Amino acid sequence: MSESRPSPSRVSFAAVTPNNLGTVRKLNSVLFPIKYSEKFYNDITQPDVEDFCQLIYYNDVPVGTMCCRVEVKDGQAKLYLMTLAVLAPYRSRGIGSQSLKHLIDTAAAHAKPKIDAIYLHVQVSNGDAKRFYQRHGFKEVGLYENYYKKITPHDAWILQCDIEHTATVTSEGK
């Protein structure tokens, strides 16, 4: 029996809030080899990142998380993708791809600030993750030596996807 990709209606997203933060903490404890700080959890519930810090649901069951922060440097805004992961039993169903597409579309539509790119770090031993992001338009833009302090290998690839903005036309023709 072949597995088919879920219809988009089976995958949904909800902003991370203080009310669902316990679910995010539990998912992160299973999904990642490190423990995140209280500052991380406080930062991902702030209103300015609610579009970019999301719980990922499959058939109304929380199965993953996606958390970003906005960084502005020299007048250019970038999203730093801190976490994106889906529980193992739900992988290979297109959920990660739909989540990343949702993030890219949200970034492209974001006006204040206008997001120019999304970037992230991938541990050099994680070739599957690197290939996943490359399939979605990310390119390797550098290597960060000794990025990871508590896990080995310590080095990380820096991957980035530039955001293409579509021109918006108002109905008033202004």
Side-chain angles (χ1 to χ4, degrees):
M1 181 165 113
S2 68
E3 282 191 39
S4 61
R5 296 284 182 195
S7 67
S9 62
R10 296 177 116 190
V11 177
S12 58
F13 306 92
V16 174
T17 67
N19 292 336
N20 61 24
L21 193 57
T23 302
V24 174
R25 286 177 188 272
K26 183 63 177 168
L27 285 166
N28 283 354
S29 73
V30 173
L31 292 167
F32 300 107
I34 61 171
K35 184 174 190 243
Y36 287 94
S37 68
E38 286 306 309
K39 181 183 182 324
F40 172 87
Y41 289 109
N42 182 58
D43 290 351
I44 66 173
T45 60
Q46 298 305 305
D48 60 328
V49 293
E50 70 181 354
D51 291 338
F52 306 118
C53 293
Q54 306 266 301
L55 263 171
I56 304 165
Y57 292 86
Y58 180 70
N59 288 338
D60 298 324
V61 175
V63 298
T65 64
M66 174 170 59
C67 297
C68 300
R69 70 174 176 246
V70 178
E71 298 179 350
V72 180
K73 185 178 177 184
D74 301 325
Q76 184 182 39
K78 290 184 177 182
L79 272 185
Y80 174 58
L81 180 54
M82 298 182 290
T83 65
L84 170 59
V86 174
L87 292 171
Y90 296 91
R91 292 181 190 152
S92 299
R93 297 172 187 248
I95 298 168
S97 293
Q98 287 182 47
S99 300
L100 193 55
K101 181 182 183 323
H102 174 76
L103 179 65
I104 292 168
D105 291 347
T106 301
H110 204 262
K112 292 185 180 181
K114 178 181 163 226
I115 306 296
D116 296 304
I118 301 171
Y119 80 100
L120 62 127
H121 294 95
V122 172
Q123 192 174 22
V124 295
S125 60
N126 195 346
D128 288 343
K130 182 181 184 185
R131 285 185 291 279
F132 167 79
Y133 287 107
Q134 287 176 325
R135 283 195 316 269
H136 293 88
F138 284 75
K139 294 180 176 36
E140 182 181 340
V141 295
L143 177 71
Y144 192 126
E145 293 182 1
N146 295 309
Y147 176 75
Y148 297 104
K149 305 300 182 222
K150 297 180 180 178
I151 56 176
T152 56
H154 298 292
D155 298 346
W157 290 301
I158 304 166
L159 305 180
Q160 180 170 302
C161 175
D162 294 330
I163 300 299
E164 293 182 28
H165 296 273
T166 56
T168 55
V169 179
T170 64
S171 59
E172 294 134 8
K174 292 183 181 177

